[in-house]
Amino acid sequence: MDLRYPIGKYQVPSPFTPTQIYNWINELGNFPPRLRAAVQHLSDGQLDTPYRPEGWTVRQVIHHIPDSHMNAYIRFRLALTEDNPAIRPYFEDRWGELADSKSAPIEPALLLLEGLHKKWTALLQHCTLNDFDRTFFHPESQSSSSLAFNIGNYVWHGNHHLAQITSLQERMKW
């Protein structure tokens, strides 16, 4: 198993179907309780264990998820209110090294993720199918991507990090 990508890399469906999009919206809504259930019993020592050699600790992964999903939520709002807006990239690796990511309790990150996903899914549930064709431009890749693509990508992103945590738990027999 590839410890960095325990569920593999994001596989883009083609075409995006309305059923798939609405299933992803439901998955986004259901993700925070799944993450909470997986990590609520972990000790500080377990939270400070890297999920793989030279990887982030479980604590850093937990803090990273709402950081990333906040950026995604803002990108979605920009795409819904502007024509193919250029988004602002950020250095997620540097964010993961900030003090709050490395040592803060996980409860604020879990609460942030819960509230954020409630807002995000409420926004997405009121979108039309045409809204999911809206795009934003990523200056690093010099490409535009649709909201449909990105819903799937962020569902994968959450599941990817959850699998990093749960595969570590299985390996360590926690």
Side-chain angles (χ1 to χ4, degrees):
M1 175 201 298
D2 182 347
L3 297 180
R4 188 167 180 195
Y5 294 100
I7 63 170
K9 294 191 177 183
Y10 177 43
Q11 299 295 313
V12 182
S14 182
F16 296 104
T17 66
T19 300
Q20 181 65 70
I21 290 169
Y22 291 114
N23 286 342
W24 282 335
I25 293 169
N26 288 331
E27 284 189 67
L28 279 176
N30 293 327
F31 178 73
R34 291 176 53 226
L35 178 63
R36 178 179 289 282
V39 302
Q40 66 187 359
H41 68 282
L42 296 178
S43 69
D44 279 336
Q46 291 167 328
L47 290 170
D48 293 329
T49 302
Y51 75 90
R52 67 176 173 87
E54 300 179 24
W56 279 345
T57 65
V58 172
R59 184 183 312 274
Q60 286 172 294
V61 171
I62 294 167
H63 284 287
H64 161 73
I65 296 167
D67 288 347
S68 174
H69 290 199
M70 277 190 300
N71 276 283
Y73 173 71
I74 291 166
R75 292 169 179 179
F76 274 63
R77 291 182 71 86
L78 288 169
L80 289 167
T81 59
E82 300 175 26
D83 290 329
N84 197 37
I87 55 98
R88 187 178 188 299
Y90 69 104
F91 295 104
E92 64 182 39
D93 57 331
R94 294 180 191 175
W95 285 37
E97 295 300 320
L98 293 172
D100 65 324
S101 295
K102 291 183 87 167
S103 61
I106 63 170
E107 183 61 19
L110 295 172
L111 289 171
L112 177 59
L113 189 70
E114 288 168 3
L116 175 63
H117 276 237
K118 284 179 183 175
K119 279 192 61 79
W120 198 2
T121 57
L123 173 70
L124 295 173
Q125 287 168 342
H126 289 92
C127 287
T128 67
L129 286 176
N130 288 337
D131 287 335
F132 296 111
D133 292 332
R134 296 186 66 85
T135 61
F136 57 76
F137 178 79
H138 201 298
E140 286 179 343
S141 64
Q142 289 292 298
S143 64
S144 295
S145 61
S146 72
L147 295 187
F149 170 90
N150 280 286
I151 293 170
N153 190 37
Y154 282 96
V155 166
W156 171 86
H157 181 260
N159 289 332
H160 156 73
H161 287 304
L162 180 58
Q164 289 172 335
I165 294 166
T166 58
S167 66
L168 172 65
Q169 290 171 326
E170 290 170 13
R171 291 191 315 277
M172 301 297 285
K173 299 186 184 350
W174 291 342

